[in-house]
Amino acid sequence: MFKLDARLEADTFFVHDLPLCRVLLMNDSQFPWLILVPRVDGVTEIIELTDAQQQQYLSESAQVSRLLQSKFSPDKLNIAALGNVVSQLHIHHVARYKSDIAWPKPIWGAQAVVAYPEDKGAELVDELKQALS
């Protein structure tokens, strides 16, 4: 039975469930930032997924990456699975700009999170959900 880590649930908005992964929007308006969470219990590393699940993840990651590129036109996409704080496997897909607050450094810990205004977050979730459906 899949259960999303409480910290991920608290820090994100639910966007959509793809065949393998739950798609979440990080509640930080400074970066267009989606997170893919494979709906597989007890997995902390990509290599713990079956070969078929790994292939499905790659397909879904490419789909989300293309969406970020087409919607936000970033200078660079950062894709990372860190898991140092939240061990549940989750893979960050972040659209980065040379003009963003953290460029060229990593986004983690460099600055405080700036949450989306409620209406803007809901609007973006709707747009992303439509694009992924």
Side-chain angles (χ1 to χ4, degrees):
M1 183 78 172
F2 172 74
K3 175 141 177 61
L4 185 63
D5 181 274
R7 185 176 222 142
L8 286 173
E9 192 164 358
D11 292 345
T12 63
F13 299 108
F14 170 78
V15 175
H16 186 68
D17 278 339
L18 296 171
L20 176 67
C21 294
R22 176 153 297 168
V23 181
L24 306 170
L25 171 66
M26 184 68 173
N27 190 8
D28 188 346
S29 63
Q30 299 170 103
F31 311 98
W33 182 348
L34 296 175
I35 300 172
L36 292 180
V37 184
R39 294 188 319 276
V40 179
D41 281 337
V43 174
T44 60
E45 305 294 341
I46 291 173
I47 58 171
E48 295 172 348
L49 297 172
T50 67
D51 288 346
Q53 289 169 334
Q54 289 179 41
Q55 291 301 311
Q56 183 63 39
Y57 160 71
L58 285 174
S59 174
E60 293 177 13
S61 175
Q63 181 182 1
V64 164
S65 296
R66 284 190 294 274
L67 171 59
L68 287 170
Q69 281 187 321
S70 67
K71 180 158 183 57
F72 299 103
S73 300
D75 294 315
K76 181 71 175 98
L77 288 177
N78 289 173
I79 300 173
L82 301 177
N84 297 345
V85 175
V86 174
S87 63
Q88 181 178 39
L89 179 58
H90 61 290
I91 304 94
H92 302 269
H93 293 67
V94 186
R96 297 294 307 274
Y97 301 92
K98 292 177 182 174
S99 61
D100 75 40
I101 191 168
W103 185 271
K105 297 178 179 154
I107 58 174
W108 290 276
Q111 63 286 321
V113 169
V114 178
Y116 284 98
E118 190 172 326
D119 59 331
K120 295 293 184 195
E123 181 180 310
L124 182 53
V125 165
D126 287 343
E127 291 172 13
L128 295 167
K129 183 181 287 193
Q130 284 183 346
L132 291 168
S133 296

